[in-house]
Tab-separated table of all heavy atoms in Angstrom:
chain	number	residue	atom	x	y	z
A	119	MET	N	48.449	-31.186	-215.741
A	119	MET	CA	48.737	-30.016	-216.519
A	119	MET	C	49.422	-28.998	-215.616
A	119	MET	O	48.967	-28.709	-214.524
A	119	MET	CB	47.418	-29.456	-217.049
A	119	MET	CG	47.593	-28.279	-217.941
A	119	MET	SD	46.039	-28.015	-218.805
A	119	MET	CE	45.827	-26.319	-218.513
A	120	SER	N	50.514	-28.462	-216.058
A	120	SER	CA	51.245	-27.508	-215.235
A	120	SER	C	50.704	-26.098	-215.445
A	120	SER	O	50.180	-25.762	-216.498
A	120	SER	CB	52.732	-27.557	-215.571
A	120	SER	OG	52.930	-27.130	-216.902
A	121	ARG	N	50.839	-25.314	-214.401
A	121	ARG	CA	50.372	-23.930	-214.475
A	121	ARG	C	51.476	-23.044	-215.024
A	121	ARG	O	52.650	-23.274	-214.757
A	121	ARG	CB	49.990	-23.433	-213.091
A	121	ARG	CG	48.761	-24.095	-212.564
A	121	ARG	CD	48.330	-23.426	-211.294
A	121	ARG	NE	49.127	-23.995	-210.205
A	121	ARG	CZ	49.139	-23.540	-208.977
A	121	ARG	NH1	48.425	-22.501	-208.664
A	121	ARG	NH2	49.858	-24.104	-208.056
A	122	PRO	N	51.107	-22.018	-215.755
A	122	PRO	CA	52.131	-21.063	-216.186
A	122	PRO	C	52.697	-20.312	-214.988
A	122	PRO	O	52.078	-20.220	-213.931
A	122	PRO	CB	51.391	-20.111	-217.126
A	122	PRO	CG	49.966	-20.458	-217.066
A	122	PRO	CD	49.809	-21.736	-216.300
A	123	THR	N	53.869	-19.764	-215.153
A	123	THR	CA	54.531	-19.086	-214.038
A	123	THR	C	53.772	-17.850	-213.586
A	123	THR	O	53.931	-17.403	-212.468
A	123	THR	CB	55.970	-18.684	-214.409
A	123	THR	OG1	55.923	-17.856	-215.584
A	123	THR	CG2	56.813	-19.912	-214.657
A	124	GLY	N	52.911	-17.295	-214.401
A	124	GLY	CA	52.132	-16.125	-214.016
A	124	GLY	C	51.154	-16.420	-212.893
A	124	GLY	O	50.783	-15.551	-212.124
A	125	ASP	N	50.703	-17.683	-212.756
A	125	ASP	CA	49.770	-18.051	-211.695
A	125	ASP	C	50.434	-18.106	-210.328
A	125	ASP	O	49.774	-18.061	-209.318
A	125	ASP	CB	49.125	-19.408	-211.987
A	125	ASP	CG	48.156	-19.329	-213.152
A	125	ASP	OD1	47.781	-18.196	-213.530
A	125	ASP	OD2	47.787	-20.391	-213.673
A	126	ARG	N	51.725	-18.229	-210.296
A	126	ARG	CA	52.443	-18.321	-209.025
A	126	ARG	C	52.776	-16.954	-208.445
A	126	ARG	O	53.427	-16.852	-207.430
A	126	ARG	CB	53.741	-19.097	-209.216
A	126	ARG	CG	53.510	-20.513	-209.590
A	126	ARG	CD	54.817	-21.230	-209.659
A	126	ARG	NE	54.711	-22.335	-210.602
A	126	ARG	CZ	55.718	-22.954	-211.141
A	126	ARG	NH1	56.941	-22.582	-210.853
A	126	ARG	NH2	55.538	-23.937	-211.984
A	127	ALA	N	52.329	-15.909	-209.100
A	127	ALA	CA	52.680	-14.562	-208.663
A	127	ALA	C	51.984	-14.174	-207.360
A	127	ALA	O	52.377	-13.214	-206.721
A	127	ALA	CB	52.334	-13.551	-209.754
A	128	GLY	N	50.950	-14.910	-206.962
A	128	GLY	CA	50.253	-14.600	-205.712
A	128	GLY	C	51.197	-14.698	-204.533
A	128	GLY	O	52.097	-15.518	-204.492
A	129	GLY	N	50.968	-13.837	-203.558
A	129	GLY	CA	51.836	-13.817	-202.383
A	129	GLY	C	51.653	-15.048	-201.514
A	129	GLY	O	50.710	-15.825	-201.660
A	130	LEU	N	52.577	-15.222	-200.616
A	130	LEU	CA	52.534	-16.363	-199.703
A	130	LEU	C	51.286	-16.312	-198.830
A	130	LEU	O	50.692	-17.343	-198.525
A	130	LEU	CB	53.788	-16.388	-198.841
A	130	LEU	CG	53.929	-17.536	-197.861
A	130	LEU	CD1	54.013	-18.852	-198.623
A	130	LEU	CD2	55.128	-17.352	-196.993
A	131	ALA	N	50.861	-15.116	-198.459
A	131	ALA	CA	49.684	-14.981	-197.604
A	131	ALA	C	48.421	-15.495	-198.294
A	131	ALA	O	47.488	-15.950	-197.642
A	131	ALA	CB	49.498	-13.527	-197.200
A	132	GLU	N	48.372	-15.428	-199.606
A	132	GLU	CA	47.211	-15.910	-200.337
A	132	GLU	C	47.198	-17.429	-200.446
A	132	GLU	O	46.149	-18.036	-200.574
A	132	GLU	CB	47.185	-15.302	-201.741
A	132	GLU	CG	46.975	-13.809	-201.736
A	132	GLU	CD	47.107	-13.220	-203.126
A	132	GLU	OE1	47.372	-13.982	-204.080
A	132	GLU	OE2	46.960	-12.005	-203.256
A	133	ARG	N	48.365	-18.060	-200.401
A	133	ARG	CA	48.455	-19.507	-200.568
A	133	ARG	C	48.408	-20.281	-199.267
A	133	ARG	O	48.133	-21.471	-199.261
A	133	ARG	CB	49.736	-19.864	-201.315
A	133	ARG	CG	49.749	-19.336	-202.736
A	133	ARG	CD	50.993	-19.750	-203.427
A	133	ARG	NE	52.137	-19.120	-202.748
A	133	ARG	CZ	53.384	-19.224	-203.152
A	133	ARG	NH1	53.677	-19.945	-204.196
A	133	ARG	NH2	54.354	-18.633	-202.508
A	134	VAL	N	48.684	-19.633	-198.150
A	134	VAL	CA	48.734	-20.314	-196.854
A	134	VAL	C	47.403	-20.122	-196.141
A	134	VAL	O	46.944	-18.999	-195.949
A	134	VAL	CB	49.891	-19.761	-195.996
A	134	VAL	CG1	49.895	-20.402	-194.635
A	134	VAL	CG2	51.210	-19.991	-196.691
A	135	SER	N	46.798	-21.221	-195.734
A	135	SER	CA	45.518	-21.137	-195.034
A	135	SER	C	45.745	-20.994	-193.523
A	135	SER	O	46.856	-21.149	-193.019
A	135	SER	CB	44.682	-22.380	-195.316
A	135	SER	OG	45.260	-23.508	-194.696
A	136	ARG	N	44.669	-20.721	-192.816
A	136	ARG	CA	44.727	-20.600	-191.357
A	136	ARG	C	45.169	-21.919	-190.726
A	136	ARG	O	45.948	-21.942	-189.778
A	136	ARG	CB	43.363	-20.177	-190.835
A	136	ARG	CG	43.316	-19.952	-189.358
A	136	ARG	CD	41.918	-19.518	-188.922
A	136	ARG	NE	41.916	-19.045	-187.579
A	136	ARG	CZ	42.082	-17.785	-187.227
A	136	ARG	NH1	42.240	-16.867	-188.151
A	136	ARG	NH2	42.091	-17.433	-185.964
A	137	ALA	N	44.667	-23.034	-191.262
A	137	ALA	CA	45.054	-24.349	-190.728
A	137	ALA	C	46.546	-24.601	-190.928
A	137	ALA	O	47.202	-25.176	-190.058
A	137	ALA	CB	44.227	-25.439	-191.402
A	138	ASP	N	47.096	-24.175	-192.057
A	138	ASP	CA	48.532	-24.330	-192.286
A	138	ASP	C	49.339	-23.536	-191.267
A	138	ASP	O	50.360	-24.014	-190.766
A	138	ASP	CB	48.900	-23.872	-193.693
A	138	ASP	CG	48.342	-24.770	-194.773
A	138	ASP	OD1	48.113	-25.960	-194.486
A	138	ASP	OD2	48.140	-24.287	-195.906
A	139	LEU	N	48.894	-22.331	-190.969
A	139	LEU	CA	49.594	-21.516	-189.973
A	139	LEU	C	49.534	-22.147	-188.595
A	139	LEU	O	50.527	-22.155	-187.859
A	139	LEU	CB	48.996	-20.117	-189.929
A	139	LEU	CG	49.298	-19.227	-191.129
A	139	LEU	CD1	48.540	-17.915	-191.015
A	139	LEU	CD2	50.779	-18.980	-191.243
A	140	ILE	N	48.380	-22.684	-188.240
A	140	ILE	CA	48.242	-23.329	-186.929
A	140	ILE	C	49.158	-24.540	-186.839
A	140	ILE	O	49.873	-24.725	-185.853
A	140	ILE	CB	46.776	-23.708	-186.666
A	140	ILE	CG1	45.952	-22.444	-186.432
A	140	ILE	CG2	46.654	-24.645	-185.470
A	140	ILE	CD1	44.472	-22.680	-186.338
A	141	LEU	N	49.162	-25.359	-187.884
A	141	LEU	CA	50.019	-26.547	-187.869
A	141	LEU	C	51.497	-26.182	-187.882
A	141	LEU	O	52.327	-26.888	-187.302
A	141	LEU	CB	49.693	-27.441	-189.063
A	141	LEU	CG	48.364	-28.173	-188.982
A	141	LEU	CD1	48.093	-28.905	-190.287
A	141	LEU	CD2	48.355	-29.142	-187.823
A	142	GLY	N	51.845	-25.091	-188.506
A	142	GLY	CA	53.237	-24.657	-188.513
A	142	GLY	C	53.676	-24.065	-187.184
A	142	GLY	O	54.844	-24.181	-186.800
A	143	CYS	N	52.747	-23.432	-186.481
A	143	CYS	CA	53.083	-22.796	-185.204
A	143	CYS	C	53.150	-23.778	-184.042
A	143	CYS	O	53.823	-23.502	-183.051
A	143	CYS	CB	52.059	-21.722	-184.874
A	143	CYS	SG	52.192	-20.269	-185.908
A	144	MET	N	52.455	-24.894	-184.141
A	144	MET	CA	52.389	-25.835	-183.011
A	144	MET	C	53.767	-26.312	-182.549
A	144	MET	O	54.056	-26.240	-181.347
A	144	MET	CB	51.499	-27.024	-183.360
A	144	MET	CG	50.046	-26.662	-183.573
A	144	MET	SD	49.159	-26.338	-182.086
A	144	MET	CE	48.874	-27.991	-181.542
A	145	PRO	N	54.647	-26.791	-183.422
A	145	PRO	CA	55.962	-27.235	-182.919
A	145	PRO	C	56.790	-26.092	-182.331
A	145	PRO	O	57.490	-26.272	-181.332
A	145	PRO	CB	56.660	-27.820	-184.147
A	145	PRO	CG	55.614	-27.988	-185.175
A	145	PRO	CD	54.496	-27.074	-184.844
A	146	VAL	N	56.698	-24.923	-182.940
A	146	VAL	CA	57.448	-23.772	-182.436
A	146	VAL	C	56.947	-23.384	-181.045
A	146	VAL	O	57.744	-23.129	-180.129
A	146	VAL	CB	57.321	-22.584	-183.417
A	146	VAL	CG1	57.965	-21.339	-182.865
A	146	VAL	CG2	57.914	-22.956	-184.768
A	147	LEU	N	55.636	-23.338	-180.876
A	147	LEU	CA	55.069	-23.016	-179.572
A	147	LEU	C	55.407	-24.075	-178.535
A	147	LEU	O	55.657	-23.758	-177.369
A	147	LEU	CB	53.557	-22.850	-179.678
A	147	LEU	CG	53.075	-21.608	-180.409
A	147	LEU	CD1	51.569	-21.660	-180.594
A	147	LEU	CD2	53.487	-20.363	-179.663
A	148	PHE	N	55.408	-25.342	-178.939
A	148	PHE	CA	55.722	-26.407	-177.987
A	148	PHE	C	57.164	-26.281	-177.497
A	148	PHE	O	57.426	-26.366	-176.298
A	148	PHE	CB	55.486	-27.780	-178.616
A	148	PHE	CG	55.543	-28.893	-177.619
A	148	PHE	CD1	54.420	-29.250	-176.906
A	148	PHE	CD2	56.722	-29.571	-177.371
A	148	PHE	CE1	54.458	-30.260	-175.968
A	148	PHE	CE2	56.782	-30.582	-176.438
A	148	PHE	CZ	55.644	-30.942	-175.736
A	149	VAL	N	58.080	-26.064	-178.416
A	149	VAL	CA	59.489	-25.928	-178.020
A	149	VAL	C	59.680	-24.690	-177.152
A	149	VAL	O	60.391	-24.730	-176.143
A	149	VAL	CB	60.391	-25.887	-179.268
A	149	VAL	CG1	61.809	-25.484	-178.917
A	149	VAL	CG2	60.379	-27.228	-179.966
A	150	GLY	N	59.028	-23.582	-177.516
A	150	GLY	CA	59.138	-22.373	-176.708
A	150	GLY	C	58.535	-22.549	-175.329
A	150	GLY	O	59.114	-22.126	-174.327
A	151	GLY	N	57.368	-23.174	-175.263
A	151	GLY	CA	56.735	-23.429	-173.974
A	151	GLY	C	57.551	-24.378	-173.119
A	151	GLY	O	57.652	-24.204	-171.900
A	152	TYR	N	58.144	-25.374	-173.744
A	152	TYR	CA	58.999	-26.301	-172.998
A	152	TYR	C	60.221	-25.580	-172.441
A	152	TYR	O	60.620	-25.798	-171.295
A	152	TYR	CB	59.436	-27.460	-173.890
A	152	TYR	CG	60.232	-28.495	-173.139
A	152	TYR	CD1	59.585	-29.512	-172.449
A	152	TYR	CD2	61.617	-28.454	-173.089
A	152	TYR	CE1	60.294	-30.455	-171.739
A	152	TYR	CE2	62.339	-29.383	-172.383
A	152	TYR	CZ	61.675	-30.388	-171.707
A	152	TYR	OH	62.378	-31.313	-171.000
A	153	GLY	N	60.803	-24.719	-173.257
A	153	GLY	CA	61.976	-23.969	-172.795
A	153	GLY	C	61.658	-23.070	-171.619
A	153	GLY	O	62.393	-23.023	-170.638
A	154	VAL	N	60.542	-22.354	-171.706
A	154	VAL	CA	60.142	-21.477	-170.600
A	154	VAL	C	59.840	-22.294	-169.353
A	154	VAL	O	60.256	-21.939	-168.243
A	154	VAL	CB	58.916	-20.622	-171.016
A	154	VAL	CG1	58.305	-19.929	-169.815
A	154	VAL	CG2	59.309	-19.629	-172.082
A	155	GLY	N	59.130	-23.411	-169.512
A	155	GLY	CA	58.818	-24.260	-168.361
A	155	GLY	C	60.048	-24.879	-167.738
A	155	GLY	O	60.141	-24.996	-166.511
A	156	ALA	N	61.008	-25.272	-168.566
A	156	ALA	CA	62.236	-25.878	-168.039
A	156	ALA	C	63.059	-24.864	-167.266
A	156	ALA	O	63.646	-25.184	-166.220
A	156	ALA	CB	63.055	-26.474	-169.174
A	157	VAL	N	63.113	-23.639	-167.754
A	157	VAL	CA	63.884	-22.607	-167.065
A	157	VAL	C	63.169	-22.168	-165.788
A	157	VAL	O	63.791	-21.983	-164.745
A	157	VAL	CB	64.122	-21.397	-168.006
A	157	VAL	CG1	64.658	-20.201	-167.250
A	157	VAL	CG2	65.050	-21.789	-169.133
A	158	ALA	N	61.849	-22.041	-165.862
A	158	ALA	CA	61.102	-21.527	-164.711
A	158	ALA	C	60.981	-22.536	-163.588
A	158	ALA	O	61.066	-22.170	-162.407
A	158	ALA	CB	59.713	-21.075	-165.157
A	159	PHE	N	60.754	-23.800	-163.914
A	159	PHE	CA	60.464	-24.794	-162.876
A	159	PHE	C	61.534	-25.853	-162.701
A	159	PHE	O	61.506	-26.598	-161.736
A	159	PHE	CB	59.116	-25.474	-163.165
A	159	PHE	CG	57.967	-24.522	-163.093
A	159	PHE	CD1	57.359	-24.072	-164.246
A	159	PHE	CD2	57.501	-24.063	-161.874
A	159	PHE	CE1	56.299	-23.193	-164.187
A	159	PHE	CE2	56.449	-23.183	-161.803
A	159	PHE	CZ	55.849	-22.743	-162.962
A	160	ASP	N	62.447	-25.984	-163.639
A	160	ASP	CA	63.541	-26.960	-163.566
A	160	ASP	C	63.033	-28.385	-163.374
A	160	ASP	O	63.620	-29.183	-162.651
A	160	ASP	CB	64.520	-26.578	-162.450
A	160	ASP	CG	65.859	-27.273	-162.626
A	160	ASP	OD1	66.221	-27.579	-163.775
A	160	ASP	OD2	66.534	-27.521	-161.610
A	161	ALA	N	61.894	-28.688	-164.002
A	161	ALA	CA	61.325	-30.035	-163.937
A	161	ALA	C	60.709	-30.347	-165.298
A	161	ALA	O	59.976	-29.537	-165.853
A	161	ALA	CB	60.264	-30.133	-162.855
A	162	TRP	N	61.013	-31.528	-165.830
A	162	TRP	CA	60.526	-31.854	-167.175
A	162	TRP	C	59.013	-32.016	-167.207
A	162	TRP	O	58.372	-31.699	-168.204
A	162	TRP	CB	61.221	-33.088	-167.738
A	162	TRP	CG	60.861	-34.363	-167.025
A	162	TRP	CD1	61.493	-34.910	-165.956
A	162	TRP	CD2	59.781	-35.230	-167.343
A	162	TRP	NE1	60.865	-36.059	-165.575
A	162	TRP	CE2	59.807	-36.294	-166.418
A	162	TRP	CE3	58.787	-35.224	-168.310
A	162	TRP	CZ2	58.871	-37.313	-166.429
A	162	TRP	CZ3	57.866	-36.248	-168.324
A	162	TRP	CH2	57.909	-37.284	-167.392
A	163	SER	N	58.410	-32.480	-166.114
A	163	SER	CA	56.951	-32.660	-166.120
A	163	SER	C	56.234	-31.308	-166.173
A	163	SER	O	55.229	-31.158	-166.874
A	163	SER	CB	56.514	-33.462	-164.901
A	163	SER	OG	56.912	-32.823	-163.710
A	164	ALA	N	56.733	-30.329	-165.460
A	164	ALA	CA	56.137	-28.993	-165.511
A	164	ALA	C	56.369	-28.357	-166.881
A	164	ALA	O	55.486	-27.678	-167.413
A	164	ALA	CB	56.725	-28.114	-164.416
A	165	ALA	N	57.528	-28.598	-167.461
A	165	ALA	CA	57.826	-28.042	-168.779
A	165	ALA	C	56.902	-28.627	-169.841
A	165	ALA	O	56.404	-27.904	-170.709
A	165	ALA	CB	59.286	-28.299	-169.130
A	166	ILE	N	56.648	-29.927	-169.779
A	166	ILE	CA	55.733	-30.561	-170.732
A	166	ILE	C	54.316	-30.044	-170.540
A	166	ILE	O	53.592	-29.793	-171.510
A	166	ILE	CB	55.765	-32.101	-170.572
A	166	ILE	CG1	57.123	-32.648	-170.978
A	166	ILE	CG2	54.658	-32.769	-171.351
A	166	ILE	CD1	57.409	-32.595	-172.443
A	167	ALA	N	53.900	-29.848	-169.299
A	167	ALA	CA	52.559	-29.339	-169.033
A	167	ALA	C	52.393	-27.921	-169.572
A	167	ALA	O	51.370	-27.602	-170.196
A	167	ALA	CB	52.277	-29.369	-167.528
A	168	ILE	N	53.372	-27.077	-169.377
A	168	ILE	CA	53.300	-25.708	-169.887
A	168	ILE	C	53.302	-25.699	-171.405
A	168	ILE	O	52.530	-24.982	-172.047
A	168	ILE	CB	54.454	-24.864	-169.314
A	168	ILE	CG1	54.206	-24.625	-167.831
A	168	ILE	CG2	54.596	-23.555	-170.065
A	168	ILE	CD1	55.329	-23.949	-167.125
A	169	ALA	N	54.151	-26.514	-172.022
A	169	ALA	CA	54.197	-26.586	-173.481
A	169	ALA	C	52.865	-27.072	-174.048
A	169	ALA	O	52.385	-26.565	-175.063
A	169	ALA	CB	55.337	-27.503	-173.917
A	170	SER	N	52.250	-28.020	-173.386
A	170	SER	CA	50.952	-28.531	-173.843
A	170	SER	C	49.866	-27.476	-173.709
A	170	SER	O	49.002	-27.351	-174.591
A	170	SER	CB	50.567	-29.774	-173.047
A	170	SER	OG	51.516	-30.787	-173.243
A	171	LEU	N	49.881	-26.726	-172.627
A	171	LEU	CA	48.889	-25.663	-172.449
A	171	LEU	C	49.067	-24.554	-173.476
A	171	LEU	O	48.084	-23.993	-173.962
A	171	LEU	CB	48.969	-25.098	-171.038
A	171	LEU	CG	48.451	-26.019	-169.940
A	171	LEU	CD1	48.713	-25.400	-168.569
A	171	LEU	CD2	46.984	-26.310	-170.127
A	172	VAL	N	50.311	-24.236	-173.815
A	172	VAL	CA	50.561	-23.218	-174.832
A	172	VAL	C	50.036	-23.684	-176.185
A	172	VAL	O	49.437	-22.907	-176.933
A	172	VAL	CB	52.066	-22.881	-174.908
A	172	VAL	CG1	52.390	-22.031	-176.109
A	172	VAL	CG2	52.509	-22.177	-173.639
A	173	CYS	N	50.211	-24.949	-176.506
A	173	CYS	CA	49.733	-25.488	-177.783
A	173	CYS	C	48.217	-25.650	-177.809
A	173	CYS	O	47.623	-25.745	-178.886
A	173	CYS	CB	50.392	-26.828	-178.072
A	173	CYS	SG	52.109	-26.658	-178.557
A	174	LEU	N	47.607	-25.674	-176.654
A	174	LEU	CA	46.154	-25.803	-176.600
A	174	LEU	C	45.448	-24.591	-177.208
A	174	LEU	O	44.394	-24.729	-177.827
A	174	LEU	CB	45.709	-25.986	-175.146
A	174	LEU	CG	44.211	-26.068	-174.895
A	174	LEU	CD1	43.671	-27.359	-175.483
A	174	LEU	CD2	43.927	-25.999	-173.422
A	175	LEU	N	46.037	-23.415	-177.083
A	175	LEU	CA	45.405	-22.195	-177.578
A	175	LEU	C	45.180	-22.209	-179.088
A	175	LEU	O	44.053	-22.025	-179.541
A	175	LEU	CB	46.223	-20.981	-177.141
A	175	LEU	CG	46.338	-20.777	-175.638
A	175	LEU	CD1	47.300	-19.644	-175.342
A	175	LEU	CD2	44.985	-20.507	-175.033
A	176	PRO	N	46.206	-22.418	-179.921
A	176	PRO	CA	45.927	-22.442	-181.361
A	176	PRO	C	45.104	-23.662	-181.781
A	176	PRO	O	44.325	-23.597	-182.731
A	176	PRO	CB	47.300	-22.440	-182.023
A	176	PRO	CG	48.231	-22.891	-180.987
A	176	PRO	CD	47.638	-22.500	-179.665
A	177	MET	N	45.259	-24.772	-181.065
A	177	MET	CA	44.477	-25.963	-181.407
A	177	MET	C	42.990	-25.715	-181.141
A	177	MET	O	42.140	-26.058	-181.965
A	177	MET	CB	44.957	-27.176	-180.607
A	177	MET	CG	44.264	-28.452	-180.999
A	177	MET	SD	44.951	-29.945	-180.270
A	177	MET	CE	45.193	-29.523	-178.592
A	178	ALA	N	42.667	-25.102	-180.019
A	178	ALA	CA	41.267	-24.784	-179.716
A	178	ALA	C	40.723	-23.758	-180.705
A	178	ALA	O	39.562	-23.845	-181.129
A	178	ALA	CB	41.144	-24.263	-178.290
A	179	ASP	N	41.545	-22.814	-181.099
A	179	ASP	CA	41.117	-21.836	-182.083
A	179	ASP	C	40.812	-22.508	-183.422
A	179	ASP	O	39.811	-22.199	-184.060
A	179	ASP	CB	42.199	-20.781	-182.282
A	179	ASP	CG	41.839	-19.790	-183.353
A	179	ASP	OD1	40.831	-19.081	-183.182
A	179	ASP	OD2	42.565	-19.719	-184.367
A	180	GLY	N	41.652	-23.441	-183.832
A	180	GLY	CA	41.462	-24.112	-185.113
A	180	GLY	C	40.343	-25.126	-185.118
A	180	GLY	O	39.781	-25.428	-186.172
A	181	LEU	N	40.005	-25.669	-183.968
A	181	LEU	CA	38.963	-26.697	-183.923
A	181	LEU	C	37.610	-26.179	-183.447
A	181	LEU	O	36.571	-26.654	-183.901
A	181	LEU	CB	39.398	-27.844	-183.012
A	181	LEU	CG	40.557	-28.681	-183.527
A	181	LEU	CD1	40.974	-29.690	-182.467
A	181	LEU	CD2	40.193	-29.370	-184.809
A	182	VAL	N	37.591	-25.209	-182.532
A	182	VAL	CA	36.334	-24.760	-181.933
A	182	VAL	C	35.912	-23.396	-182.479
A	182	VAL	O	34.785	-23.231	-182.940
A	182	VAL	CB	36.464	-24.708	-180.392
A	182	VAL	CG1	35.200	-24.193	-179.767
A	182	VAL	CG2	36.813	-26.083	-179.856
A	183	ARG	N	36.787	-22.436	-182.415
A	183	ARG	CA	36.410	-21.080	-182.809
A	183	ARG	C	36.293	-20.929	-184.316
A	183	ARG	O	35.385	-20.287	-184.809
A	183	ARG	CB	37.441	-20.093	-182.273
A	183	ARG	CG	37.059	-18.674	-182.465
A	183	ARG	CD	37.935	-17.749	-181.670
A	183	ARG	NE	37.523	-16.382	-181.903
A	183	ARG	CZ	38.372	-15.390	-182.039
A	183	ARG	NH1	39.657	-15.615	-181.904
A	183	ARG	NH2	37.941	-14.166	-182.265
A	184	ASN	N	37.232	-21.486	-185.055
A	184	ASN	CA	37.236	-21.426	-186.524
A	184	ASN	C	37.387	-22.841	-187.069
A	184	ASN	O	38.453	-23.210	-187.563
A	184	ASN	CB	38.391	-20.558	-187.027
A	184	ASN	CG	38.270	-19.138	-186.579
A	184	ASN	OD1	37.253	-18.508	-186.806
A	184	ASN	ND2	39.305	-18.632	-185.921
A	185	PRO	N	36.343	-23.650	-186.987
A	185	PRO	CA	36.475	-25.054	-187.407
A	185	PRO	C	36.700	-25.181	-188.912
A	185	PRO	O	36.315	-24.287	-189.681
A	185	PRO	CB	35.142	-25.656	-187.010
A	185	PRO	CG	34.191	-24.530	-186.967
A	185	PRO	CD	34.990	-23.328	-186.568
A	186	PRO	N	37.329	-26.269	-189.313
A	186	PRO	CA	37.534	-26.478	-190.751
A	186	PRO	C	36.188	-26.676	-191.449
A	186	PRO	O	35.230	-27.189	-190.861
A	186	PRO	CB	38.376	-27.758	-190.822
A	186	PRO	CG	38.382	-28.333	-189.476
A	186	PRO	CD	37.891	-27.317	-188.507
A	187	CYS	N	36.119	-26.247	-192.675
A	187	CYS	CA	34.878	-26.393	-193.428
A	187	CYS	C	35.163	-27.121	-194.737
A	187	CYS	O	36.296	-27.153	-195.214
A	187	CYS	CB	34.243	-25.033	-193.692
A	187	CYS	SG	35.294	-23.920	-194.616
A	188	ASP	N	34.150	-27.698	-195.296
A	188	ASP	CA	34.280	-28.404	-196.570
A	188	ASP	C	34.330	-27.384	-197.698
A	188	ASP	O	33.516	-26.483	-197.770
A	188	ASP	CB	33.108	-29.362	-196.785
A	188	ASP	CG	33.116	-30.500	-195.796
A	188	ASP	OD1	34.199	-30.825	-195.289
A	188	ASP	OD2	32.033	-31.047	-195.514
A	189	GLY	N	35.280	-27.621	-198.589
A	189	GLY	CA	35.344	-26.813	-199.790
A	189	GLY	C	35.915	-25.531	-199.546
A	189	GLY	O	36.134	-24.562	-199.901
């Protein structure tokens, strides 16, 4: 059953969950961290390590500090 168009009037902030934001930010943070690491150290291994550490922050927040809940 389709919803009437009046139900879609809610803003984007109401429809996007915290987990969606974390999953959306991970690739952006990884690319940004890789770019900073590549410019700063000029080595791909250091760039990957920095990008991974940057992505660790939202992942730890989503899994440990604010874990997913049922329902």
Side-chain angles (χ1 to χ4, degrees):
M119 183 165 130
S120 65
R121 291 188 277 171
T123 57
D125 290 345
R126 295 184 208 163
L130 182 63
E132 294 174 0
R133 295 182 296 184
V134 177
S135 69
R136 183 179 192 92
D138 292 334
L139 288 175
I140 289 173
L141 288 174
C143 288
M144 295 284 282
V146 174
L147 289 173
F148 191 86
V149 169
Y152 184 86
V154 168
V157 168
F159 296 105
D160 198 28
W162 68 270
S163 58
I166 294 289
I168 290 173
S170 299
L171 288 174
V172 169
C173 286
L174 177 68
L175 298 173
M177 185 171 45
D179 177 62
L181 292 174
V182 178
R183 188 167 180 220
N184 297 306
C187 59
D188 293 335

